[in-house]
Amino acid sequence: MSYRRSLMRRFPTNLQNLAIIGLGFPVIGLNVWVLSQFFRYFEHLITVLTIAALIAFLLNYPVKILERIHFRRLPAIVVVLLITLALLTILGVTVVPNALEQTTELVKQVPEWIRASNENINAWEEWGKGKGLLLDFNVLRSQINAKIDTQLQIIGAEVVGLAVGTLSGAIDTLSIIVLSIYMLLYGDKLWLGIVSILPDRIKLPLSDSLRLNFQNFFISQLLLGTFMASVLTPTFFFLRVPFGLSFAIFIGASELIPFIGASLGIGLVTVLIMLKNFGLGISVLIAAVVVQQIKDNLLAPKLMGEFIGLNPIAILICLLAGGQIAGLLGIIVSVPIAGTIKGTIDKMRQLSLNSFSQTEYAGESVDIEQD
């Protein structure tokens, strides 16, 4: 009898939980769809603002360091901007022209590499026949030939798009630079104005979590990407990898995609090189994986720590959702956004527990004094 009563008492609670879950998923799905439509409508504006905000986040870190050594904010911003401009000029004179030249030549040679891969497939078929294996790669060969035509069309479209979009790209770059400077100068006031409408218990946790997850995360990712590109460039040169500089920079830039970017970049580079030389592709894969393991096991724990604090499954879901909503930009910022939300909630809970503990301690002290 008592078991039946307890079961009846639990039934409304279980039904309420099921109702919340049942209604929650459609609401979340609807919100994701609304966000994706909103982003598509304002895609260009959101992209420019997001890139400018990320640059301001990154540059604000050295500005804060200079402020700690008794620089005023305006001179600190000027010094950081001048140093950044000098570094970009050095890269623009040394690395960028070579990388662009290699990338242009690579794009032209990819169809030839794909054609050459047919010979490798024939060699595998002959090897299989010698071992008594019936290997048929006709389907794969037809797919490769289809890829050739597609690649040639893409190259033509890219050339036309580059000629048409040069002026627009220059305007966007100038807009991003100006917005980044203004965000450095007045971003704090703007942020305080935005969070002023939030309750007091959310303001500080949200600000701290946003700084931790965006500023620290992207600084760490840039440093890790720079390490990958810097180490792989001489490694690929030693292995005599064609277009090694472009491949190394591509793998380093892939590090901006959280947690899986470097692996995807290494995989794509390996496949491309295997089209030309299978053995060289294996060597590139081994070298890149070794460098990646050094980065993941020695550098990443020291730079990144545990400030994201997300479950790996949650990270993959965030990446998929971000890509669905906002494409590549959504993939890049999805994990920091999720980390910001989680960090804000955790800090709010911690503040609530501390406040409750202090209240309880104060109540116990009053009771002791009364006794």
Side-chain angles (χ1 to χ4, degrees):
M1 190 69 177
S2 60
Y3 173 76
R4 184 178 298 177
R5 289 177 180 175
S6 63
L7 185 62
M8 292 299 292
R9 283 196 298 267
R10 292 179 184 175
F11 181 73
T13 303
N14 294 335
L15 186 61
Q16 182 180 6
N17 293 335
L18 289 175
I20 292 173
I21 294 173
L23 294 175
F25 280 106
V27 170
I28 293 174
L30 179 61
N31 287 332
V32 171
W33 181 82
V34 170
L35 284 174
S36 63
Q37 298 302 312
F38 179 83
F39 179 83
R40 288 188 179 94
Y41 189 79
F42 295 102
E43 180 176 1
H44 184 262
L45 175 62
I46 293 174
T47 301
V48 170
L49 290 175
T50 302
I51 294 174
L54 291 177
I55 293 174
F57 258 118
L58 296 175
L59 294 181
N60 189 57
Y61 188 78
V63 169
K64 290 291 186 183
I65 294 176
L66 291 178
E67 286 182 317
R68 291 173 190 166
I69 56 177
H70 307 297
F71 269 76
R72 293 185 179 180
R73 184 164 182 82
L74 182 57
I77 291 174
V78 172
V79 170
V80 169
L81 290 176
L82 290 176
I83 294 174
T84 303
L85 180 61
L87 291 175
L88 291 177
T89 302
I90 293 172
L91 290 175
V93 173
T94 56
V95 177
V96 174
N98 293 328
L100 289 177
E101 182 180 357
Q102 287 193 14
T103 302
T104 303
E105 188 65 26
L106 172 64
V107 171
K108 293 179 181 179
Q109 291 196 18
V110 164
E112 286 297 328
W113 288 13
I114 295 177
R115 289 190 182 97
S117 66
N118 282 320
E119 299 179 2
N120 295 331
I121 292 174
N122 291 331
W124 279 104
E125 288 183 346
E126 293 297 327
W127 178 85
K129 290 178 181 178
K131 299 294 182 179
L133 300 175
L134 296 178
L135 300 178
D136 187 3
F137 294 105
N138 288 326
V139 175
L140 181 60
R141 185 181 288 107
S142 62
Q143 290 180 352
I144 290 176
N145 292 330
K147 288 286 184 181
I148 294 174
D149 297 333
T150 303
Q151 189 64 42
L152 292 174
Q153 295 175 6
I154 291 175
I155 292 174
E158 288 292 334
V159 172
V160 175
L162 180 62
V164 174
T166 301
L167 179 60
S168 176
I171 294 174
D172 289 343
T173 302
L174 182 61
S175 300
I176 290 171
I177 293 173
V178 173
L179 281 171
S180 300
I181 294 173
Y182 272 95
M183 286 181 180
L184 273 175
L185 291 170
Y186 308 110
D188 291 342
K189 295 180 180 178
L190 177 63
W191 177 250
L192 290 175
I194 293 174
V195 299
S196 62
I197 62 176
L198 299 174
D200 292 336
R201 64 191 185 90
I202 299 178
K203 292 180 184 178
L204 185 59
L206 178 60
S207 298
D208 290 343
S209 182
L210 186 70
R211 176 190 57 80
L212 185 68
N213 285 277
F214 269 85
Q215 181 174 287
N216 293 4
F217 180 81
F218 280 104
I219 288 175
S220 300
Q221 293 296 103
L222 282 175
L223 291 176
L224 294 175
T226 302
F227 169 79
M228 291 288 293
S230 301
V231 176
L232 287 177
T233 297
T235 303
F236 289 170
F237 178 78
F238 175 77
L239 293 174
R240 297 184 179 181
V241 177
F243 314 111
L245 178 61
S246 295
F247 285 140
I249 292 176
F250 174 75
I251 293 174
S254 300
E255 192 72 38
L256 286 176
I257 299 176
F259 298 99
I260 64 172
S263 298
L264 293 176
I266 291 172
L268 180 58
V269 167
T270 300
V271 170
L272 284 175
I273 296 176
M274 280 182 174
L275 293 177
K276 182 176 179 61
N277 188 322
F278 185 83
L280 182 60
I282 295 297
S283 300
V284 166
L285 176 62
I286 294 173
V289 169
V290 170
V291 175
Q292 184 187 27
Q293 291 302 310
I294 295 173
K295 182 261 299 180
D296 289 341
N297 294 291
L298 296 180
L299 296 180
K302 295 180 180 179
L303 288 174
M304 299 183 65
E306 298 293 336
F307 61 84
I308 294 297
L310 293 174
N311 186 283
I313 297 177
I315 291 173
L316 292 177
I317 294 174
C318 290
L319 293 175
L320 292 173
Q324 181 67 33
I325 294 173
L328 178 60
L329 181 63
I331 292 174
I332 293 174
V333 302
S334 60
V335 174
I337 289 176
T340 299
I341 295 172
K342 181 182 182 298
T344 302
I345 295 173
D346 290 343
K347 289 187 177 182
M348 288 172 59
R349 288 176 177 173
Q350 187 63 38
L351 289 174
S352 298
L353 289 174
N354 292 340
S355 177
F356 176 77
S357 299
Q358 291 175 1
T359 303
E360 187 178 16
Y361 176 76
E364 292 177 354
S365 299
V366 171
D367 293 338
I368 292 173
E369 290 178 359
Q370 289 178 351
D371 292 340

